[in-house]
Every structure is written in C-alpha cells, then in structure tokens.
Amino acid sequence: MPIAIVREVSPSIAECELTHLDREPIDYPRAARQHEEYVRALESLDYRVVRLPALPEYPDAVFVEDCAVVVGEIAVITRPGAESRRGETPSIAETLRPHRALAFIESPGTLDGGDVLRAGTMIRVGRTARSNDEGIAQLRAILQPFGYDVAAAELSGCLHLKTAVTPVGSNLLLINREWIDPSQFPGFAFVDVDPSEPFSANAMLVDDTVILSSAFPRTRARLETRGIRVVTVDATELAKAEGGVTCCSLLIGE
Ligand code: CIR
C-alpha cells in the first residue's frame, strides 16, 4: 500500500511565513479539522497515512512537501529557503529513512519541495526566493544519474512553482499563465485555471484522481469537462498560510 506522510497542524500556524499574501487570522481548530478531512481524502484513495506530531515551534511544519523530494530510487532532504523552516527537515529524514536511500541539499543550496514538479522523468524546479541555483544544481547532480531530466523553471508572482502549475494527468498540466509561461513545458497539454481562481493551479494528482480545494468550483468544472476525476477538500484556513493541497503530504509509492 502506498504511504502518505503528513504532519499535524502547528498550533502556532498563524505565525507562518507569508510572501504574497496579507496576514489574516487563522482559526487553528478549523485548520486542524480541514487537515483531518485532507487525511481522509488520502485514505479514501488507498494511502496509508503516517501522521507526524505537530512541531509547535515551527508554524509552517504542516507543509511537509517542502522538506523532501521523493522519487522511486531516493529521497532528497531539502534545505528550505526560509530559515525559519530549516528545523522541520530532521524528523522528515528519519521518517523517510526506512523507505528510501537519503541525499541532502547542502548549504549554500536552498530548495523547497513546493518548487519541484515531476512528470515521469521530467523534473522542473522553480527558481524562486526559496530555491536557488545552487540547490537546483545539487538536485540535478543527485537525480540525473537515475535518469531524471532536471532543469530550472522561471516564474513570477507566486511562492512556488507548484503554486503556478501542477500535473493533472500523464501529459497534462493545470496552469495559471499569469505566473508562468507554458512554453517551458514543450510537449504538454494544458488546462487553464479559471481566471477568478488563480490559486487553483495547486492541484494534487494521486494516481488518476485530482485532489483540489473546494474553493475552486470553476476550475473543478474545467477538469471534469476533460474527464478527470476530482475529489475536493476544504482547505481555506491552510490557504491563508499560503499553502495548497500538494504542500501537506509527501507521497511514497511502494
Ligand atoms: C511558507 O511560506 O513556507 C508557508 N507559509 C507556505 C508553504 C507552502 N508550501 C508549498 O506550497 N509547498
């Protein structure tokens, strides 16, 4: 059975990092309930969910995606771009150790998993305030020997590459062209987000189902018109922390 690693929401989530959003109050109990709904969605898709305890001293620790890049052959433990998040990675490394050989992004490299998009053997990494050239070069050096084609992607106006574009099918990307130029993905077909739902480009493909925030009904309709099965979850509180659905889990296919 495949595994999903998640971490309980930190009670201090209201003190999260914010880059493109204004700070709004975050209702912690509601965020925790929404996270529970997300876990149930993963379980309904036949994932065994490993729940790590919250890290109260790390407000953003629920966003486990940023701490590692997991492929079939290896797990790369990142060095998050936000200094406040660097202490989130050791427990993720220990959780992944039984499942994969580990490699580590080292200083001065920085890399957030939210910047790493994989479609088959193609891996694109957003060059952002969180992921620098050195981090991207280290990821390439680690993954290229396994046959992955790793290259940087340019974006602007949002936090991570996967805020702007995510896979929703084997050769299909959900994209917000306001933030990224699709010509960086030759050979792919695209579904455009509804313009009224810019953050809906962060969708999570789990086998042949897409998990999407229920805040994005118009983009959901666009996906369903293309024959894609969509499961929605309420993720509004985590969205106030600038996180989307991909950010809250690390998937390990076994
Ligand atoms: C941060 O700024 O690091 C968090 N508040 C949000 C991280 C979201 N993670 C992701 O998109 N992968």
Side-chain angles (χ1 to χ4, degrees):
M1 196 178 209
I3 294 172
I5 296 171
V6 304
R7 192 193 293 285
E8 306 292 350
V9 181
S10 174
S12 60
I13 185 160
E15 290 147 47
C16 64
E17 294 282 341
L18 288 175
T19 307
H20 295 278
L21 296 184
D22 291 332
R23 196 166 295 279
E24 284 183 69
I26 297 179
D27 181 337
Y28 161 66
R30 187 156 184 248
R33 282 198 301 277
Q34 291 180 352
H35 189 255
E36 190 59 40
E37 187 189 336
Y38 176 83
V39 166
R40 281 200 302 274
L42 287 168
E43 287 173 343
S44 77
L45 297 173
D46 294 327
Y47 274 70
R48 180 167 74 79
V49 178
V50 175
R51 296 161 181 259
L52 303 181
L55 295 176
E57 64 278 33
Y58 294 99
D60 282 308
V62 64
F63 301 120
V64 289
E65 168 181 60
D66 292 319
C67 292
V69 177
V70 183
V71 296
E73 301 85 353
I74 197 166
V76 182
I77 306 303
T78 66
R79 182 168 178 270
E83 219 172 317
S84 68
R85 301 198 56 190
R86 302 233 168 107
E88 297 174 24
T89 57
S91 55
I92 295 290
E94 290 323 303
T95 307
L96 287 169
R97 196 178 290 283
H99 302 284
R100 293 288 186 278
L102 299 183
F104 294 83
I105 301 296
E106 312 279 359
S107 176
T110 64
L111 189 79
D112 276 13
D115 275 320
V116 181
L117 181 156
R118 182 163 79 90
T121 56
M122 182 204 77
I123 294 180
R124 292 294 172 267
V125 190
R127 190 202 311 268
T128 65
R130 298 296 178 87
S131 300
N132 64 15
D133 285 330
E134 176 63 25
I136 297 169
Q138 288 181 27
L139 187 72
R140 184 185 306 117
I142 294 165
L143 294 182
Q144 204 162 264
F146 298 110
Y148 293 96
D149 160 31
V150 182
E154 308 299 332
L155 62 140
S156 64
C158 63
L159 181 62
H160 285 131
L161 177 62
K162 279 188 288 187
T163 322
V165 58
T166 49
V168 289
S170 62
N171 200 36
L172 190 61
L173 300 174
L174 178 64
I175 191 165
N176 180 342
R177 295 177 199 238
E178 293 288 317
W179 291 332
I180 188 158
D181 179 352
S183 69
Q184 297 180 90
F185 299 94
F188 282 82
F190 298 95
V191 179
D192 286 276
V193 296
D194 188 277
S196 67
E197 299 174 346
F199 286 93
S200 62
N202 185 262
M204 182 173 166
L205 182 63
V206 182
D207 303 321
D208 54 3
T209 299
V210 165
I211 298 181
L212 186 71
S213 167
S214 54
F216 307 130
R218 294 185 169 137
T219 296
R220 175 188 183 168
R222 288 181 180 215
L223 292 168
E224 288 177 337
T225 301
R226 303 286 281 258
I228 297 166
R229 177 169 182 260
V230 180
V231 168
T232 59
V233 292
D234 190 352
T236 49
E237 290 308 306
L238 296 170
K240 292 176 190 169
E242 218 167 345
V245 287
T246 65
C247 321
C248 296
S249 57
L250 281 165
L251 301 184
I252 312 174
E254 297 251 297

